[in-house]
Amino acid sequence: MGTAERRETAGDGTAAREATRQQAAPATRTSDEAGRRADSGPAREAAEARAAYRPLWVEEPARRRRLPDPVRTAAVRAVLIIAVTLVQAMVALLCTLAGSWLAFPMVISSVVSTIAATWAVLDVWVTRQVWNQRHGVVSTPSSTARALRRERRQARRAQRAAGRERARIRRRGGAGQLSHP
C-alpha cells in the first residue's frame, strides 16, 4: 500500500482523491516521454505500469467517534451474551422438535439467558449514561448562543480598545491634542 492510500483527510475524502489524481497525472506524462525515448523494452513497460497505477481505495476518517473503553467493553459483553442466548434458543427449539429429554433444560436456560441478555443491554445503556455524565458530552451550541457570544466579544473588544485609547491620551499629556506639536 502506497502513501496515497494512507493519507488522512479532514473532511469527505476529496483531498486524498485530489492528491491521488495529481500523483497519477505526472505518471502519465512520464510514460508518454518514456515511450518516445525508448520504443520498446523494460523502461517502457515500467512507465506503463506506473501510468496504470490506481490505488484500490482511499481511507477516509470515521464519521463517528469511537466509543469510550468501558462502554465498548459492556457492548462486546452484551453481544456475546446475546449470541449465546440465540444459540441456546435454537438448540432448545431443535431439541423440542426432536422430542429429546434435553428440551426442557434448554428452554429453562434460554429463559435465564434472555434475562441476562436484557440485563447486558441495559448495562451498556447505563454505562454510556454514566460515562457521559462523568466525562461530559461534547455539545455544539445553537446558532443563537453563538451569535450572542460573538456580540459580547465584539463589545468587550471595543471597550478594551476605547480604554487603551484613553490611557494613551492621558500618557501624552491629556490636553486633547488633535495633532502632533
Side-chain angles (χ1 to χ4, degrees), residues 10-170:
D12 59 350
T14 55
R17 282 190 218 109
E18 290 298 321
T20 306
R21 286 189 198 125
Q22 290 170 356
Q23 290 171 350
T28 57
R29 278 188 251 124
T30 57
S31 68
D32 294 340
E33 294 168 2
R36 282 187 229 124
R37 287 187 204 132
D39 292 330
S40 62
R44 183 173 181 177
E45 291 172 10
E48 288 174 359
R50 267 183 275 141
Y53 171 74
R54 246 182 53 212
L56 293 176
W57 67 83
V58 177
E59 291 184 16
E60 295 179 2
R63 298 216 182 263
R64 293 176 55 171
R65 288 189 343 263
R66 186 173 143 161
L67 284 174
D69 286 338
V71 178
R72 194 169 57 250
T73 304
V76 168
R77 188 178 8 194
V79 166
L80 290 175
I81 291 173
I82 290 169
V84 168
T85 302
L86 290 174
V87 169
Q88 281 182 334
M90 197 66 189
V91 169
L93 176 71
L94 293 175
C95 286
T96 304
L97 291 176
S100 172
W101 65 270
L102 199 57
F104 182 71
M106 287 306 296
V107 168
I108 298 298
S109 71
S110 293
V111 170
V112 172
S113 288
T114 302
I115 294 169
T118 306
W119 188 268
V121 171
L122 285 173
D123 180 45
V124 172
W125 183 67
V126 168
T127 305
R128 185 168 180 257
Q129 296 299 324
V130 167
W131 194 90
N132 283 341
Q133 191 173 16
R134 286 184 183 163
H135 298 93
V137 183
V138 178
S139 62
T140 55
S142 66
S143 58
T144 54
R146 202 175 297 126
L148 287 172
R149 275 202 315 268
R150 189 180 307 124
E151 289 173 8
R152 283 191 222 121
R153 238 186 334 238
Q154 288 172 348
R156 279 194 304 259
R157 284 181 192 147
Q159 215 172 18
R160 277 182 281 177
R164 282 193 301 267
E165 184 67 25
R166 276 182 265 149
R168 189 178 59 83
I169 290 173
R170 280 192 209 113

